[in-house]
């Protein structure tokens, strides 16, 4: 009986430990676990998810979304944005939902590009920056035309963003009606000649906080 109980406790402990570890959302080869316009917009190139063009203007915002929703978590994404620095824009969506019969989504975004690096934007809802770092901080952090990393941590109403290891946003949502669950999504913004790359996408789910 003791042996059975010990084995059961070990199995539970092992499962809990495994659940706590970061999980890769992108396998580096295809769009398993993702959905979006993978015919025209989104591609997999050299182990990265890409979208956009440096030769033609991106016609509109497009989003590649996970098929699974998440609540509280720590997300890590490595990304690179190239193109017209004055207009190029992208971002990492979270606690997000697709707008039915539309190419847009609604939810929080860790913004990328222009003067929005390191900022928290509310996509298609309040349509504004909710929090952002000082300009001089960003100028020291951003690696233009090179790889950067976002860490997004959501615990209950609190959202933190780190850009290249530096905390840029510590925001607490005061509107209790705002949903705390949703998909993760990658964005390419329309209106510029730009190309974005995403790789090393991992998530660690956390116990939900009220």
């Amino acid at each position: 009986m003791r042996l059975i109980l010990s084995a059961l406790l070990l199995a539970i402990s092992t499962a809990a430990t495994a659940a706590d570890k970061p999980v890769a959302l992108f396998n580096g080869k295809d769009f398993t676990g993702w959905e979006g316009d993978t015919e025209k917009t989104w591609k997999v190139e050299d182990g990265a998810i890409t979208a956009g063009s440096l030769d033609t203007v991106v016609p509109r915002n497009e989003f590649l979304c996970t098929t699974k929703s998440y609540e509280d978590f720590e997300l890590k994404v490595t990304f690179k944005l190239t193109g017209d620095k004055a207009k190029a824009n992208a971002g990492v969506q979270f606690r997000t939902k697709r707008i039915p019969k539309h190419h847009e989504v609604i939810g929080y975004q860790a913004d990328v590009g222009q003067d929005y690096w390191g900022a928290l934007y509310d996509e298609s809802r309040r349509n504004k920056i909710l929090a952002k770092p000082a300009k001089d901080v960003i100028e020291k952090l951003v690696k233009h035309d090179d790889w950067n990393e976002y860490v997004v941590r959501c615990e209950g109403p609190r959202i933190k963003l780190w850009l290249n290891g530096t905390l840029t946003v510590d925001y607490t949502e005061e509107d209790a009606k705002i949903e705390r669950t949703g998909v993760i999504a990658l964005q390419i913004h329309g209106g510029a000649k730009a190309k974005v790359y995403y790789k090393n996408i991992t998530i660690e789910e956390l116990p939900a906080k009220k």
Side-chain angles (χ1 to χ4, degrees), residues 71-72 155-157 180 208-210:
E71 186 171 356
D72 285 8
E155 292 183 281
R180 295 182 187 171
K209 283 191 175 182
K210 294 184 178 180

Side-chain angles (χ1 to χ4, degrees), residues 42 46 82 104 125 136 150 167 178-179 181 183 187:
W42 298 98
D46 298 325
T82 59
E104 280 285 356
R125 186 162 47 202
D136 61 328
Y150 257 132
L167 181 68
I178 299 293
E179 292 191 53
T181 61
V183 299
Q187 185 208 44

Side-chain angles (χ1 to χ4, degrees), residues 5-170:
L5 183 59
S6 297
L8 182 60
L9 290 173
L10 179 61
I12 293 172
S13 175
T14 302
T17 302
D20 291 339
K21 292 182 178 179
V23 174
L25 295 182
F26 171 52
N27 63 20
K29 300 179 292 185
D30 56 39
F31 294 109
T32 300
W34 298 83
E35 61 83 16
D37 179 16
T38 56
E39 291 187 8
K40 295 181 179 179
T41 302
W42 298 98
K43 310 292 181 186
V44 175
E45 300 175 349
D46 298 325
I49 294 173
T50 71
S53 171
L54 300 181
D55 299 319
T56 59
V57 173
V58 178
R60 69 181 191 182
N61 293 357
E62 290 286 354
F63 300 85
L64 184 72
C65 301
T66 58
T67 55
K68 180 181 176 180
S69 291
Y70 300 89
E71 186 171 356
D72 285 8
F73 56 84
E74 183 169 288
L75 172 74
K76 293 183 180 180
V77 183
T78 302
F79 62 92
K80 177 168 62 174
L81 179 65
T82 59
D84 184 351
K85 288 185 178 63
K87 297 180 180 180
N89 187 272
V92 179
Q93 297 280 147
F94 53 96
R95 289 183 171 177
T96 287
K97 286 181 170 55
R98 280 206 180 270
I99 298 174
K101 299 180 180 180
H102 203 281
H103 63 93
E104 280 285 356
V105 299
I106 181 169
Y108 298 108
Q109 182 189 103
D111 217 321
V112 175
Q114 299 169 295
D115 294 326
Y116 306 118
W117 291 88
L120 177 65
Y121 183 72
D122 199 21
E123 183 85 25
S124 299
R125 186 162 47 202
R126 286 166 288 195
N127 295 309
K128 67 176 185 179
I129 294 291
L130 301 176
K132 67 182 296 186
K135 187 175 181 180
D136 61 328
V137 172
I138 288 304
E139 288 176 347
K140 297 175 183 177
L141 292 179
V142 177
K143 302 173 185 177
H144 293 288
D145 299 318
D146 202 352
W147 293 103
N148 297 267
E149 183 191 60
Y150 257 132
V151 175
V152 179
R153 190 176 182 91
C154 294
E155 292 183 281
R158 195 172 184 184
I159 297 170
K160 292 182 178 181
L161 304 183
W162 287 265
L163 178 61
N164 294 331
T166 296
L167 181 68
T168 59
V169 165
D170 188 345

